[in-house]
Structure formats: structure tokens, C-alpha cells
Amino acid sequence: MITYNTENVKMPAIRRRDTTAWIRRVAATYNKKVGEIGYLFCDDNHILEVNREYLGHDYYTDIITFDYDEGDTLNGDLVISLDTVRTNAEKFHKDYNEELHRVIIHGILHLCGLNDKGPGERELMEAAEDEALAIR
């Protein structure tokens, strides 16, 4: 089950049923099943609190992924700052909805085992995001 909730923001205009089906398709390309996935859309202040409390980081980010996977079943909580998504869309000259979907799937790709911090990993993550967006 995939749930969508908000904290301090209005629910973004996403088609939840279509988004859930898309997430399941992407997970299947990595031979993964979707278990319990919880999305929390929030503002910059809330994600900064989460980043400080749980990760010890003192900066804003677009997404934080908490991974509770069990074998080939994806389980996790994904916290997304809509403020940072909007800022990044403007900064990179992208459509807001496209950037939002990129971030939504970014967290799923983390749960599938992809990383973006080490050498060459960011390029692999971006390619995987592009592939996932193409099947949306």
C-alpha cells in the first residue's frame, strides 16, 4: 500500500492511483514488490526538522528516504519538501510537475538500491530517473 499525506502544505495535484501504478511498474523493473510506502509532502521548515532530528544534517533538501525494506519488498517513508521541489524546478528550468515526479521516483529508486552520493552514482541515478519518467 502506498499512502500520501501532508504536513504544513496542500496536497500536490498528483493522480494518486496513476502514481501508485507507476511506482509499482518502476519497482517491478528492479524485481521488487511494493509493500508499505508512505509519502509525506511538507514545507522546507518541516524537512529541515526531520533532517536535523533523524540524520543530524542542518540543511534543506528535496527528499529524505527512510528505508525499511524486507528482501524484495519495498517499505519506507519518503519525506518531500514541496518548497525545495519548486525551487529546484525554477533553478533547473523544469516544469514543477515533472520535478515533483522525479523526486517521487527518486525515493523509490533509493529503496530499490540505487545511491547518488559516491563516484559516478549521481549519473546512474539521473539515468534511472529519466527511464522511470519515460514509463510514467
Side-chain angles (χ1 to χ4, degrees):
M1 168 179 258
I2 299 176
T3 59
Y4 304 90
N5 296 289
T6 63
E7 179 74 31
N8 302 331
V9 297
K10 187 175 143 191
M11 182 64 72
I14 59 171
R15 295 175 175 229
R16 291 183 227 180
R17 190 170 290 149
D18 293 343
T19 301
T20 295
W22 172 54
I23 290 167
R24 290 182 190 283
R25 284 193 307 274
V26 171
T29 66
Y30 291 87
N31 298 313
K32 305 286 186 180
K33 292 180 244 162
V34 171
E36 298 291 326
I37 305 282
Y39 280 94
L40 178 66
F41 298 103
C42 64
D43 61 6
D44 271 351
N45 289 334
H46 186 75
I47 206 161
L48 182 60
E49 287 176 28
V50 171
N51 216 1
R52 285 175 176 159
E53 182 175 342
Y54 294 97
L55 302 176
H57 299 159
D58 192 25
Y59 55 81
Y60 299 104
T61 188
D62 51 0
I63 184 168
I64 298 172
T65 303
F66 295 98
D67 185 343
Y68 315 126
D69 288 352
E70 297 174 3
D72 290 335
T73 302
L74 304 182
N75 295 290
D77 289 320
L78 296 91
V79 183
I80 296 176
S81 170
L82 297 181
D83 293 337
T84 300
V85 168
R86 185 168 309 285
T87 299
N88 287 346
E90 292 169 3
K91 179 179 174 182
F92 299 117
H93 307 287
K94 299 284 185 183
D95 175 75
Y96 171 77
N97 286 319
E98 179 184 337
E99 185 66 16
L100 177 59
H101 283 86
R102 179 175 296 279
V103 174
I104 287 170
I105 211 62
H106 181 93
I108 296 299
L109 294 170
H110 274 306
L111 295 179
C112 288
L114 279 74
N115 292 308
D116 58 358
K117 301 291 185 209
E121 289 179 338
R122 178 169 295 281
E123 293 80 8
L124 292 173
M125 176 64 86
E126 288 174 359
E129 290 169 356
D130 290 342
E131 288 175 22
L133 288 167
I135 64 171
R136 193 174 99 203

